[in-house]
Amino acid sequence: MRNKKIFILLPDGIGLRNFAYTDFYKIGIDKGFDIVFWNNTPFELTESGFKEIKIQKARVHPLTDFLKKAQVKIELSQNSAESKDPVYDTYRFQLTNRNLKSILKNCYVNWLFFWNNSQKDCFELGRESQFRSEKPNCILIVGILYKRRNQI
């Protein structure tokens, strides 16, 4: 049986302390998980015996803001429909249309929302290309746990 891969984003030293230098890593290895750190800290984890992918020249993709806004709209819509609780609708804010540029941006966000308004598409919308190439079963990002379709 192949090991399940857990991908852990380490944006800072706190994540490093909480996941790499505690029993978390040892327990995961003992349970048969393949743990890989996506490292954005200045520390070299390979010297300590950890598997890592070093983030080189991290920069935000130009579409990130659009994807983030669309993902929030999708999550609010899905949670509202699933729980039938109107409180989620209070978190939907009207997009401002001050000028042509903001109108075009909002049209693109609404287009992303229209074509990706499901749980599966929402997850796919937020995934990075690094995640696609590594194909982890679980992605842990600063306290947020994303599971692939198969349970761990």
Side-chain angles (χ1 to χ4, degrees):
M1 181 175 144
R2 145 181 118 73
N3 285 354
K4 302 244 179 180
K5 185 179 270 190
I6 297 178
F7 209 60
I8 301 174
L9 172 65
L10 296 177
D12 54 21
I14 294 170
L16 185 66
R17 182 194 67 201
N18 290 340
F19 295 103
Y21 296 122
T22 62
D23 290 339
F24 179 86
Y25 183 79
K26 184 180 180 306
I27 291 169
I29 296 298
D30 291 344
K31 294 206 180 258
F33 291 101
D34 181 19
I35 299 175
V36 178
F37 293 102
W38 199 31
N39 188 8
N40 194 35
T41 67
F43 306 105
E44 290 292 330
L45 295 179
T46 52
E47 293 173 359
S48 300
F50 300 116
K51 291 183 186 177
E52 77 169 329
I53 297 173
K54 194 77 172 156
I55 297 175
Q56 302 295 327
K57 298 178 186 172
R59 65 177 201 263
V60 177
H61 192 276
L63 295 178
T64 299
D65 194 42
F66 299 113
L67 296 173
K68 185 171 51 172
K69 286 180 182 179
Q71 188 167 10
V72 167
K73 284 183 73 163
I74 292 168
E75 288 172 354
L76 287 173
S77 173
Q78 292 296 316
N79 290 336
S80 178
E82 188 176 301
S83 68
K84 305 212 183 339
D85 189 351
V87 74
Y88 292 105
D89 294 330
T90 62
Y91 291 100
R92 292 185 194 186
F93 299 107
Q94 185 68 26
L95 298 172
T96 58
N97 293 321
R98 290 180 300 235
N99 52 34
L100 181 61
K101 184 177 179 181
S102 65
I103 291 170
L104 293 174
K105 286 181 176 182
N106 293 338
C107 286
Y108 184 61
V109 169
N110 289 330
W111 181 82
L112 286 170
F113 172 74
F114 179 77
W115 288 105
N116 298 291
N117 193 10
S118 72
Q119 291 286 49
K120 175 189 168 279
D121 292 335
C122 181
F123 177 74
E124 294 294 328
L125 188 64
R127 289 181 59 191
E128 295 291 324
S129 61
Q130 183 74 51
F131 298 148
R132 287 187 188 134
S133 64
E134 290 293 321
K135 296 183 176 133
N137 296 95
C138 179
I139 303 166
L140 183 62
I141 305 172
V142 190
I144 301 171
L145 183 65
Y146 288 106
K147 293 182 194 174
R148 287 184 60 104
R149 290 179 199 97
N150 301 343
Q151 293 292 333
I152 295 179

